[in-house]
Each structure stands twice: as structure tokens, then as C-alpha cells.
Amino acid sequence: MENQHAFSDAERAAVYHAIFSRRDVRGQFLPDPVADEQLARILMAAHHAPSVGFMQPWNFLVVRSADVKQRVHDIFREANAEAERMFPDEKREIYSKLKLQGILDAPVNLCITCDRSRSGPVVLGRTHMPTMDLYSSVCAVQNLWLAARAEGLGVGWVSIFHEKALQDALGIPHHIVPIAYLCIGHVSHFNDRPELEKAGWLPRLPAADLLYFEQWGSSDPKREDSLSATLADMHRIAQEQGRFPG
């Protein structure tokens, strides 16, 4: 049956291409400025993310100043040194070689925050799961990331900070939660696979191995269900051919 609400084949392919080719960019940023029109479009995409109770708990703090970037980079460097010491020796060696941020390289830095007090203490849909506002803000991050990929812009998410130190560096009140600190800009290239996958940090998990039916733990290891079999085939194609299998 024809679905009148479906996108055209080309439009659908573009959506999946954005999802599949999105990368966490660290070391490929170019110095070229990001046009305000582009930045406005991806911010508008972020602002149209779903949010519980339509509370729209996000704010967008744009950072272009070299001095502010340096402050943020300094607190990253301190936290990163602490993080490196947390890993066992075999992981620490790989960790030390990874470039985990592009704070000083990217022309635009952006902090997306969550104001948990927005809309008051009782929010539709958050009455029994109070963290839904945080999850809503993460949806804004993903919207922006996919829109940026469609614009040809790279985005890198930096999360190795002490939260209070980041708040202080950016003048964020302590009741406002920093959700994502993003580096945004034009790039020399996008990697064909996630950098951590290529570096051998962790492999891509097969989606079929993460699938349960009806009850937690009820899986389909023999791939007898058509859904898990299809997912297994799609994973194989994606890994072998480096493209979205659809």
C-alpha cells in the first residue's frame, strides 16, 4: 500500500545518508568562518527537536572568542589528564594518541544547555520521569548534528569537563545543566567510519544483538525472526560496503 506521508526515495535516502555519514569531528576543522545563515539553519533545526511537555528547555550559547575558547580548552586539558589515568594500561596508550576535541581549531563553539526549571515544577510528561527534560535537550543536539552534516559542517562533542568548571568558564548559572559542548566548522573531510572504531577503541555492535522481543532478555540468537535477520544483513552490508544499507 502506498504511504502518502512517506518522503520521496531521494529525500529518504538523504535523511539516511545524513545519519550514516555523521561523524564526531576532532581534527579536520578548517579556519573558514561559518556563515550566519548556515548557523541559523542548524540552530533552528535544534530548536525544532521534540521536548517533553513542549517545554523547550534548551538555550544555545555561541562561542567565537579566542579567549573564551582558551579558557574552555584549559579546563578540558586538566580533565583530560585526569581521564587518561583512569584507564588500564592497554587502553591508556590508545587514549593518549586520540585527539578528543577541536575547541581551538573550530571557528564556532556551541554549548547547548537545559533549564530544568522552565515551565515550572510540574511539566506534562515529566511527572514520573523527571529526567525527560535532559533527554529532550539531547534530541536538540542530534537535530543540530544531522542538520550540520547536511550543510557539510563538522561537529565534535566534547564531554571531558568538570561540569562546574565549564559553567564557570562560560558564566552559566549552576542550576542550568550543560548538555553538550560542540565544536562546529567546515572540515577537510569526513572519516568513512567513526574515529574510535578505526582506532580500535571499540567495534560497532550489531543491532540484531541488541534486540529483544516482548520481554527483556528474550533474544533471537539464531536469527529466526525476520526482523533480526534483516538487521543482521543490514549490519553486514554496512560494515562491508561502508554505506547505509537501505
Side-chain angles (χ1 to χ4, degrees), residues 21 34 52 64-65 67 82 94 116-117 125 129-130 136 146 161 164 168 174 187 198 213 237 239:
S21 61
V34 176
V52 63
R64 293 190 176 110
S65 162
D67 290 342
E82 295 172 356
I94 300 175
R116 308 197 70 189
S117 65
M129 296 185 69
S136 298
L146 295 176
F161 297 114
K164 186 177 183 297
D168 292 344
H174 287 177
V187 296
K198 293 180 71 171
F213 294 89
I237 294 170
Q239 293 302 105

Side-chain angles (χ1 to χ4, degrees), residues 21-95:
S21 61
R22 180 210 57 79
R23 293 289 177 264
D24 193 354
V25 176
R26 286 88 174 266
Q28 302 101 267
F29 286 110
L30 300 174
D32 311 56
V34 176
D36 283 346
E37 292 81 2
Q38 280 187 305
L39 188 56
R41 284 195 293 268
I42 66 174
L43 286 171
M44 185 61 75
H47 184 49
H48 280 71
S51 64
V52 63
F54 202 48
M55 69 181 295
Q56 304 158 78
W58 42 71
N59 281 87
F60 308 104
L61 198 166
V62 178
V63 176
R64 293 190 176 110
S65 162
D67 290 342
V68 177
K69 289 179 185 177
Q70 187 62 59
R71 281 206 305 271
V72 174
H73 185 269
D74 289 345
I75 63 173
F76 161 81
R77 187 170 54 190
E78 178 181 350
N80 191 52
E82 295 172 356
E84 183 176 334
R85 295 191 292 270
M86 296 177 185
F87 292 98
D89 291 345
E90 64 274 12
K91 285 286 191 180
R92 191 178 306 150
E93 183 178 356
I94 300 175
Y95 187 98

Side-chain angles (χ1 to χ4, degrees), residues 144-215:
L144 181 139
W145 214 333
L146 295 176
R149 181 62 188 89
E151 295 277 353
L153 297 173
V155 176
W157 188 335
V158 188
S159 59
I160 306 171
F161 297 114
H162 288 291
E163 183 176 288
K164 186 177 183 297
L166 181 61
Q167 290 167 321
D168 292 344
L170 297 176
I172 299 173
H174 287 177
H175 74 280
I176 303 294
V177 181
I179 296 295
Y181 192 89
L182 306 174
C183 305
I184 303 172
H186 297 279
V187 296
S188 59
H189 64 282
F190 288 95
N191 288 325
D192 59 343
R193 294 182 185 275
E195 189 171 345
L196 292 181
E197 183 182 10
K198 293 180 71 171
W201 186 260
L202 284 171
R204 172 78 67 182
L205 298 176
D209 291 352
L210 309 176
L211 183 65
Y212 296 144
F213 294 89
E214 314 306 342
Q215 295 286 300

Side-chain angles (χ1 to χ4, degrees), residues 113-149:
T113 62
C114 178
D115 182 352
R116 308 197 70 189
S117 65
R118 191 164 293 168
S119 299
V122 181
V123 177
L124 188 156
R126 200 185 62 173
T127 53
H128 291 73
M129 296 185 69
T131 51
M132 289 302 295
D133 51 356
L134 300 173
Y135 304 151
S136 298
S137 299
V138 174
C139 289
V141 177
Q142 182 76 341
N143 266 21
L144 181 139
W145 214 333
L146 295 176
R149 181 62 188 89

Side-chain angles (χ1 to χ4, degrees), residues 6-22 142 145-147 149-150 244:
F7 289 4
S8 69
D9 289 347
E11 290 168 335
R12 184 181 61 184
V15 172
Y16 288 125
H17 180 59
I19 293 169
F20 192 73
S21 61
R22 180 210 57 79
Q142 182 76 341
W145 214 333
L146 295 176
R149 181 62 188 89
F244 195 90

